[in-house]
Amino acid sequence: MSRAQLRSMGLGPNDVRSEVAAGRWHAEGRVAVRVGAASRLGRLWRALFEAGRSARFDGVTALQLAGLINWEARTVDLVVPHNRSYRAVEGARVFVERDLEPAAPTRTADAPRSEPAYALVRAAMNSDSDRQAATLIAMSVQQKVVDPARLLQVWRAWRLPRRREALEPIIVDVCDGAHSLGELDFARLCRERGLPEPKRQVIRKGRDGRVFLDVRWECGLVVEIDGVQHFQGLAPVDDALRQNAVVLRSDAVLRIPVLGLRLYPDEFLDQVAMGLVARGESVA
């Protein structure tokens, strides 16, 4: 609890000093005290208290409070308006926003935090790498912490976002599959690389009728371009059944996630070239 909260309960500085001296309470920085061992949530609150009244949880921290799992954060993320003072806090990074949006609605006892879509955009803009940003965006949408339509809306309205060139295609790929990179873009990348252009939407017979393969060469190499929808629900099961059926007919299948093609186009096209050569195809 902060010392201000204790004061509102009638406990003054002398009371706090007595409890701390007796070892029943423990001082946490300049403005907070705790009872017992420090919990993760307690450490978050301590950082918030230390930063000042205008701060609230943001970035990865806000996403985790909203339900994001399996993401390790090294710092506590906070945000403050540009016209308010704040204190630097060890182990925390503070984003300063000129046009800070209203906080997400929470219950009285909940931690004040940013709406997930805003928190995700700021976290992505301040990520260590494009790969880290892409992973965080995909996980937040896949875990339903952030609504994809809301994320697109917030991103489109953002004033002069940092790393726009890198983040724009990633957010579109994750949130708007209809306009994400697909077979036409892949064929273009092959031409630019000097690889033979494949046929697109090749029809094969599957267990439930016709199966459409994204791209295929006559030598029997198939490439499937996997958008984010391929990682949701039972889609991985359906994809596995389809891929196995194709492989059992002696075709070779390479799977390329759209985000992978965005982040590592040369590495994936190297694999495509190797697959073509291995099957006797002439590659420039």
Side-chain angles (χ1 to χ4, degrees):
M1 297 184 71
S2 70
R3 295 172 191 253
Q5 289 174 323
L6 292 171
R7 284 196 300 272
S8 70
M9 300 168 63
L11 297 170
N14 290 334
D15 299 305
V16 174
R17 279 193 292 268
S18 296
E19 295 297 326
V20 171
R24 290 185 289 269
W25 293 358
H26 305 275
E28 284 283 338
R30 292 167 291 187
V31 298
V33 295
R34 63 177 171 84
V35 179
S39 66
R40 173 183 172 274
L41 187 57
R43 290 192 292 270
L44 297 184
W45 275 105
R46 179 248 171 168
L48 188 71
F49 292 149
E50 287 286 308
R53 293 183 179 182
S54 61
R56 69 174 185 244
F57 293 118
D58 194 72
V60 172
T61 304
L63 293 171
Q64 290 175 324
L65 290 171
L68 180 69
I69 60 174
N70 298 325
W71 184 274
E72 184 177 349
R74 299 190 303 270
T75 62
V76 179
D77 287 346
L78 306 169
V79 67
V80 298
H82 83 286
N83 57 353
R84 299 290 183 88
S85 61
Y86 69 92
R87 291 184 291 269
V89 182
E90 183 180 359
R93 58 177 181 173
V94 180
F95 307 137
V96 180
E97 286 292 339
R98 177 171 296 277
D99 300 312
L100 186 60
E101 75 288 347
T106 58
R107 295 170 300 181
T108 303
D110 285 345
R113 63 177 185 263
S114 297
E115 180 188 337
Y118 286 95
L120 177 55
V121 170
R122 274 190 286 269
M125 290 193 302
N126 290 279
S127 293
D128 294 337
S129 65
D130 294 343
R131 177 188 175 90
Q132 185 184 73
T135 304
L136 182 60
I137 292 168
M139 287 179 62
S140 298
V141 171
Q142 289 165 1
Q143 294 181 22
K144 302 187 186 304
V145 175
V146 178
D147 177 73
R150 178 59 173 159
L151 176 57
L152 267 178
Q153 180 186 33
V154 168
W155 172 252
R156 298 293 193 214
W158 206 281
R159 181 177 177 271
L160 301 176
R162 295 183 295 280
R163 302 170 75 175
R164 174 184 285 279
E165 185 175 347
L167 294 180
E168 171 76 18
I170 292 172
I171 291 176
V172 169
D173 286 338
V174 171
C175 298
D176 187 9
H179 296 94
S180 66
L181 194 152
E183 301 93 56
L184 287 172
D185 304 273
F186 179 74
R188 173 182 54 78
L189 291 173
C190 288
R191 289 195 302 272
E192 292 174 355
R193 179 68 179 264
L195 302 178
E197 187 170 343
K199 293 182 178 180
R200 300 187 297 274
Q201 290 293 298
V202 177
I203 300 175
R204 289 290 184 268
K205 185 177 180 181
R207 65 187 181 96
D208 295 321
R210 294 190 302 175
V211 170
F212 292 88
L213 305 179
D214 288 343
V215 297
R216 184 182 185 275
W217 285 267
E218 289 298 331
C219 65
L221 180 66
V222 174
V223 171
E224 292 290 317
I225 311 297
D226 293 341
V228 69
Q229 70 275 8
H230 286 267
F231 304 97
Q232 298 173 345
L234 292 177
V237 176
D238 295 334
D239 287 343
L241 286 169
R242 183 173 69 166
Q243 176 172 327
N244 292 346
V246 173
V247 170
L248 289 172
R249 292 187 176 89
S250 299
D251 278 0
V253 179
L254 297 179
R255 307 203 74 89
I256 304 180
V258 165
L259 287 181
L261 199 54
R262 291 286 192 195
L263 298 171
Y264 302 108
D266 291 336
E267 288 85 343
F268 279 110
L269 287 171
D270 284 344
Q271 293 181 338
V272 171
M274 291 172 61
L276 290 171
V277 171
R279 289 184 159 272
E281 189 75 36
S282 177
V283 174

